[in-house]
Amino acid sequence: PSESARSCAIASFKVEGKETKKVIDELYEKTKVFTVIRYLPDQEVVRVTPNLYNLTEELDVLIEGITKIAAS
């Protein structure tokens, strides 16, 4: 949408030393945050699409989940 208050984002990331599919599976299993795999020309990444209806607390759950996966 053209209104900034109604816009959303798409983010992609990798967790160093972790297989992308395993990150996606573990993130969903532990946090119920749904992500998908995207195949870029030279790598696989995790894609997350926070949207208009996501609360800040839900984004905190995502970040906490990624942090724990990265530390394991």
Side-chain angles (χ1 to χ4, degrees), residues 16-34:
E16 188 174 339
K18 306 285 184 179
E19 291 181 32
T20 304
K21 175 75 166 103
K22 289 185 179 182
V23 171
I24 289 171
D25 291 344
E26 191 171 341
L27 195 57
Y28 187 76
E29 179 183 310
K30 292 183 176 183
T31 68
K32 300 303 181 217
V33 173
F34 178 77

Side-chain angles (χ1 to χ4, degrees), residues 5-70:
R6 297 185 61 216
S7 296
C8 65
I10 296 174
S12 297
F13 66 92
K14 291 182 65 84
V15 176
E16 188 174 339
K18 306 285 184 179
E19 291 181 32
T20 304
K21 175 75 166 103
K22 289 185 179 182
V23 171
I24 289 171
D25 291 344
E26 191 171 341
L27 195 57
Y28 187 76
E29 179 183 310
K30 292 183 176 183
T31 68
K32 300 303 181 217
V33 173
F34 178 77
T35 58
V36 295
I37 194 167
R38 283 291 177 239
Y39 300 97
L40 302 179
D42 61 340
Q43 61 184 326
E44 296 176 352
V45 296
V46 179
R47 188 186 84 182
V48 61
T49 311
N51 210 326
L52 303 173
Y53 51 82
N54 287 107
L55 302 173
T56 302
E57 293 82 7
E58 293 170 317
L59 297 176
D60 291 341
V61 169
L62 169 66
I63 293 167
E64 183 178 329
I66 294 169
T67 302
K68 286 181 178 180
I69 292 168

